[in-house]
Amino acid sequence: MYFAALLARTEDGWEASDTELDDVETLSDLADLAREASPDEDTVLVLIEQEDAWFGVVRVDGEEDPRIYVSDAAAAARSSYGEILLTDELLGREPDDDGDDLDALDLDGTEDGESDDEDGGGGGDAAAGSGEAVPHGPVGDAEVLDDLGVSEKELRSMSGDAVGEIAEALGASDVLETVR
């Protein structure tokens, strides 16, 4: 079960809205959705959680690039919403790595795989390397909420209802509960 909400910081405090991520396919789509929630280019947080498995925070400040924190990259990688957050840059991979790995995987076990045996061996190592590129544990900007009162240490120690804990620390738990 997933929960996703937008928290927009305004002059009057935090405003929350639940959000459907069904039409969101990329991080750019998610950032655009966040920007729409705050026409004044205020800070907007996208909070996503999958029941006790992982949570993610995406912070969008105006037109700046989104800042991302994911509590457990390996768990998020098994989720369609998590895959949106786990960009190549966040995982420290070159953008083309993923495509090369898929090509290598497509060739394994085929007749062409035998003729490309030398390349196939390299592709297998690359595929294994990409598996290691999605670590168990947190990735991203753990200081994403520092200036809002949630330290890196606090963020890294959150589990369970992390979205609720974040909202409480921000003084936004009441508005978040209206959209849960």
Side-chain angles (χ1 to χ4, degrees):
M1 188 83 183
Y2 292 94
F3 174 72
L6 297 173
L7 284 179
R9 188 168 67 171
T10 67
E11 291 177 7
D12 301 327
W14 291 98
E15 292 180 7
S17 57
D18 61 343
T19 185
E20 284 295 322
L21 299 179
D22 294 342
D23 295 332
V24 174
E25 294 180 9
T26 66
L27 182 59
S28 294
D29 293 344
L30 188 61
D32 290 344
L33 185 69
R35 288 183 184 104
E36 289 172 12
S38 179
D40 296 330
E41 296 192 2
D42 294 317
T43 297
V44 178
L45 302 176
V46 181
L47 305 174
I48 303 171
E49 69 181 357
Q50 179 186 7
E51 292 182 350
D52 299 337
W54 67 275
F55 70 92
V57 177
V58 178
R59 178 177 177 159
V60 178
D61 293 300
E63 291 300 315
E64 292 181 28
D65 288 339
R67 295 170 58 193
I68 305 164
Y69 175 80
V70 176
S71 66
D72 186 336
R78 294 186 297 270
S79 154
S80 59
Y81 297 138
E83 287 178 348
I84 293 169
L85 305 181
L86 297 176
T87 63
D88 289 331
E89 181 181 347
L90 189 70
L91 296 173
R93 295 191 298 209
E94 293 296 319
D96 293 333
D97 281 356
D98 210 54
D100 292 343
D101 293 345
L102 292 177
D103 290 343
L105 290 173
D106 287 342
L107 293 176
D108 286 344
T110 65
E111 292 176 12
D112 293 335
E114 289 183 17
S115 65
D116 292 340
D117 203 25
E118 292 173 9
D119 293 340
D125 292 345
S130 75
E132 294 170 15
V134 180
H136 291 276
V139 295
D141 184 355
E143 298 175 353
V144 67
L145 301 175
D146 267 2
D147 64 323
L148 300 175
V150 181
S151 71
E152 175 181 353
K153 182 179 179 182
E154 290 171 312
L155 189 62
R156 288 184 184 272
S157 69
M158 290 182 180
S159 62
D161 182 21
V163 167
E165 290 179 48
I166 291 169
E168 187 173 324
L170 298 176
S173 55
D174 290 343
V175 294
L176 181 69
E177 286 307 312
T178 64
V179 296
R180 269 202 187 223

